[in-house]
Amino acid sequence: MKTADQVLVKQINKMIVLNTIYKKRPISRAEIAKVTGLNKSTVSALVDELLTEELVLEMGAGESQGGRRPVNLSINKEVGNIIGIDLGVNYILSIMTNFAGEIIWEKRIDLQHAHNSPGQRIADLQTLIEEMIVSASQTVRGIIGIGIGVPGIVNYEQGLILSAPNLGWENIELRSMIEQKFGIPVFIDNEANAGAIGEKWFGAGKRADEFLYISAGTGIGAGIIINNELYRGSKGLSGEIGHMTVSLDGIPCSCGNAGCLEEYASEKALFRYMKEYACVEELTIFNIIDNAIAGDEVSRKAFEYVGKCLGIGVANLINAFNPQLVIIGNSLPLVGDILMNELRREAEKRCFASKYFSVKILPSQLNMHACAMGAAALVISRLYASPVS
Ligand SMILES: [Zn+2]
């Protein structure tokens, strides 16, 4: 009889094999043994189980290393689908991916100033999920899981939104509401954490061990990757950089404090600038981005101002974390160099150690999909990290 420890070791090894196939596909059993350090018979036994579960596929023969040509393995992309949701402040972006994380369906609903009541917003979310489930292709495992990125403080283990100031929500048991309705496992995380995981699995952070993902949209948050893992802090509340004080007697913030970075370097600051200098209030963020790119002077200046303020926040973070890379995501970097050049200049100017090392500051590769992709990756990583029932 196997001990609990032996069962756990086997589960971990199986996850390692599945993860290796996912990341290095196509790959042979012998190469998996070489990459993971597991012995060949263990790898073969675990691969047999994964084949029986239809999570991996044999792809035909690979390159011969002198003897018989080895059989290559890959992920069975079609085994099931995953839903990833970015629950934004004024939109919901929903994607469906296959088991390899490739987007096969997506829909965005804009909710410009429509409502903030949790009941209506959750009803919209459930309608969207229902639509996706109905339109999903028939697969062996159906919808494997639903990941949701939320703009607020989340207890990710309990699937609870503790506080989302920009939505005006407190203590919402989102996971249990969605799980009870659909009977599908649900994973919830803060949107910046989800964005960081998305960049780590699919985007600009794939090859970086230590990086910061900064979500700069309606609010500002950071997902912190240290040694290839998401750093959550002692209670899972790390990364609330939008509420880092940057002005002693500054603008009051929705969190109750004043002088928070978010008031100077987010969409809120951009809209405030446009209202003050262009006297316009009815523009969306995408209107201002388009106008700035088209050369509108006030829109460009607004982005330069916000880029400068965000650069100050980034310099503080570089001083604290010494990352290899900082990725700027969500809506603001969609304007491109108008924001990024000012941000880089300010960050370099204010970073204490910038003469000793340079930090790459890049816009997200996943653009507005980072959070939804990361939400899907929450499901994939949980699945790849635990025994498959
Ligand atoms: Zn604040």
Side-chain angles (χ1 to χ4, degrees), residues 62 142 170 249 272 339 379:
E170 291 221 342
D249 302 303
R272 195 181 296 119
L339 177 97
V379 180

Side-chain angles (χ1 to χ4, degrees), residues 126-189:
Q126 288 176 337
T127 306
L128 193 53
I129 293 171
E130 212 159 331
E131 191 183 337
M132 277 190 290
I133 292 172
V134 170
S135 62
S137 52
Q138 291 298 314
T139 56
V140 177
R141 285 170 187 263
I143 305 289
I144 296 169
I146 301 170
I148 307 176
V150 178
I153 297 173
V154 168
N155 180 326
Y156 72 98
E157 281 170 346
Q158 292 173 13
L160 181 70
I161 302 175
L162 296 171
S163 172
N166 287 324
L167 289 172
W169 292 9
E170 291 221 342
N171 294 317
I172 305 287
E173 294 184 358
L174 187 63
R175 183 174 70 194
S176 64
M177 288 179 193
I178 306 294
E179 276 185 350
Q180 275 168 23
K181 169 106 178 151
F182 298 104
I184 296 169
V186 173
F187 304 94
I188 290 174
D189 211 327

